[in-house]
Amino acid sequence: MNTLAQTTENALILLFTGDPELWNIIAISFSVSLRAMLFATPVALVLAFLLAYGRIPGRRIVISIMHTLLAIPPVVVGLTVYLFLSRNGPLGDLRLLFTQTAMIIGQMVLCIPILLAMGHAAFQGADRRAWETALTLGAAPWRAMFTVMHEVRFGLLAAIVAAFGRIITEVGSSMMVGGNILHYTRNIPTAIALETSKGEFAQGIALGIVLLLLAMILNFALTVVQGKGVITA
Amino acid sequence: MMDQARRPLLRYHELEKRFSGDLLFEIPEFSLHGGDCIVLSGRNGTGKTTLLKILAGLIAPDKGWVECGGKRYSWPKAKDHCRRNVIYLHQQPYMFDRSVAANIDFGMRLAGVPAPARRRRTDEVLAWGGLEYLAGRNARVLSCGEKQRVALARAKVLSPKALLLDEPTASMDKEACEKAYFLIKRLQSEGIAIVIAAHEPQAIRRIANRLLQLDAGKLIDQTVLKVSDHDDAPRECFRE
Amino acid sequence: MAKGTCPNVDHGPMPSEGRFHMGTASLTWYSKNLTKPFTGFARPLANVLFIAAAMFPGIPGYADNTTLRLATTTSVDNSGLLPTLIPEFERESGYQVHVIAVGTGKAIQLLRNGDVDVVIVHAREQEDKLIADGYGVDRHDVMHNDFIIVGPMNDPAGIAGLTAAVDALQRIADSQSLFVSRGDESGTHAREKQLWGLAQINPAGTWYRATGQGMGETLQIAGELDAYTLVDRGTWLAYRQKSPLTVVVQGDERLLNYYGIIAGNPAKYPDINYQGATRLIQWITSAPAQRLIGNFTIDGEPLFVPELISR
Ligand SMILES: Nc1ncnc2c1ncn2[C@@H]1O[C@H](COP(=O)(O)OP(=O)(O)OP(=O)(O)O)[C@@H](O)[C@H]1O
Ligand SMILES: [Mg+2]
């Protein structure tokens, strides 16, 4: 049996000798999650803005639903998306099950509540004068929205980082709707699950290290960026 | 009346604002003329801020319409015309989290002014406000008085027809007040209509050519009280 | 990780028509113009997200017929057999095969739903039902191996060396020795239930643990718990190096494990890739593929007996 140290050593060797299989999985993970973020972020942030600044009827309900969805397990999302995309489901005709698109949809469902909840909190904390000042200086409402976004950018970046952190590490949804297909829908988390089930712990640890490094880089970057902001009223 | 000769920049009609059913104010008619310097007084909570924001098109009244350039507009259409002509300055002006120069640049960029012209005009207005030494500094860290002057410069550079100032000197010492008033007077002399809200109007009475008081939901014109000691001509009001 | 080749590291599945591909020039144009409404911090962020997304392949569905979806049991995939076979088939046929490794029960369900084109499974009763219901066609035997019962070295139930699987289970139940079951409606689980039925035992109690997981996980759990479990020989050979367990029962007729390949019925789902499925069935039952199966070994031990060559 491998010891922990041995496994980690093997993992580092795999990682830095550029094992193509490993890097392929890493590339898929990033490709899928970045695309999910690309589609989800603009929609979610604009919605969060509207929830905070617009007089949308029932917005309290929407917000509490979002907070509830924060706690939803990825497998439940996976199952739901699966049922929608399966041939007999309402979207079965699109033939999206076991594609990267299906994974992207699942991950969007997972990250939108985070973006909305944290984005909403950030906008809520923004000074309303920013919005009014932008308007009175001639900004159209949508431009004023971007101005407010710029003012609360650190809160929004934190939301984006948290959302990305959730989807790059989730296994339940990707496994269920992606199918863990080699070179196509096998991403870091599903690969870890698979390798662990095969007893290939070194592979699992190597991929785990990638996730850990990523989390570290993101958080350092966030800290550095936030350090530059001026926090006065 | 003096304003019959000239056409107002904006004329507001039948403004009415309520908060959760309670009437805040009801104003049959209010007009803004170039060169006006109106002091709007009233006790705390009478609705001065709310009125200014309505005039600037930032919030909608419950009723009312606007006459602009000979045409009549009702809300929400009216707000575009208000926003286009009027700039509102918060009691404590909001500074975007960027440099002073970038704050001043903000509105011109939105208006699509080409970059070289923007740079030139930013420099001009910085000099106008005596703010050159602040140009590169983050606007968030400025003092209240400095922020007020940057806000004036930021508004002036857009050449608005009217400027609405919400208690501009509330948290300033005498010197900062003087500096701000100096700039306000210069703006007025350039033909920009000025409305200043203040619950304690004595200090700025001397630069006003119209005195209005918001009281119990009505806008009362008290200019007559002032007519005896002042000429109507706009420039007269800051000669002393 | 599978030791197979990696033909297209960066691009996912092979290119097909209608895919959304972007040149560098258009990429620059898009990042310049589509992200124009974003100002301040939003602009670079939008650019980064956009370029990152555009660098990777687009959004193919399964509209094209160059991909073939094969659902199979984990034992066939994790043992390394499929990673050896599939690239060969892909090379010869031009199809891109997407392997979805799940339990037999789920694989059959996927075929029934029309979510995959073809399955390789090992649970004859369920297979027959699938065909009887009209969801599966063209079933062929592909290969077989056998199940074995593995258990701890000290053999608390005293069954080492038995061949009769039913007797062995009887003794495990009698001695209340720990037994770990897949409990996931896989082919292995189906066989296990069948054997318990033959022994007229309803396995329940603290000694009987269902994992609800794949064969590999179940073997690992049995290893940690010093328990008995039923396992297919393929998975066992792949895992035995890492397992503290040992083979206790093997060689019973009732432990033979047949793998069959079944295509989805195009009469039920006209747009499944029936052509591809047929091609795979033809290929996998052909002499060269059968030879590949027969020659597949782990540590020098063959895992599967090819059906057509053995007969
Ligand atoms: N968004 C709002 N919702 C409900 N009530 C409001 C809202 N905005 C203002 N009010 C109420 O309307 C009244 C007028 O407020 P406003 O800020 O216009 O007063 P003000 O005359 O500017 O007072 P001050 O001299 O203290 O600045 C206050 O009673 C205030 O509580
Ligand atoms: Mg006020």
Side-chain angles (χ1 to χ4, degrees), chain C residues 147 165-166 191 194-195 198 251-257:
Chain C
F147 291 108
V166 174
R191 179 64 57 94
Q194 193 191 341
L195 293 173
L198 289 170
D252 190 336
E253 276 274 292
R254 285 177 171 148
L255 289 176
L256 280 183
N257 180 24

Side-chain angles (χ1 to χ4, degrees), chain B residues 49 91 166-167:
Chain B
T49 298
Q91 179 166 352
D166 199 350
E167 311 202 26

Side-chain angles (χ1 to χ4, degrees), chain A residues 75-142:
Chain A
V75 270
V76 176
V77 170
L79 182 59
T80 314
V81 175
Y82 176 90
L83 291 175
F84 268 87
L85 296 184
S86 172
R87 173 63 75 98
N88 297 326
L91 302 177
D93 289 343
L94 298 177
R95 311 285 277 135
L96 289 177
L97 195 61
F98 304 134
T99 62
Q100 293 189 349
T101 311
M103 294 167 82
I104 291 172
I105 293 171
Q107 297 195 350
M108 282 172 68
V109 174
L110 279 169
C111 72
I112 283 176
I114 298 189
L115 290 168
L116 266 180
M118 288 181 69
H120 177 257
F123 284 125
Q124 200 89 96
D127 196 327
R128 217 188 160 84
R129 291 177 305 157
W131 166 248
E132 290 176 339
T133 304
L135 285 182
T136 203
L137 293 177
W142 64 272

Side-chain angles (χ1 to χ4, degrees), chain A residues 14 21 28 34 36 61 64 84-85 130 147 151 156 180 201 211:
Chain A
L14 273 176
E21 293 283 318
I28 287 172
L34 282 175
I61 297 170
S64 23
F84 268 87
L85 296 184
T147 305
E151 295 298 297
L156 298 185
N180 198 18
F201 296 121
L211 285 184

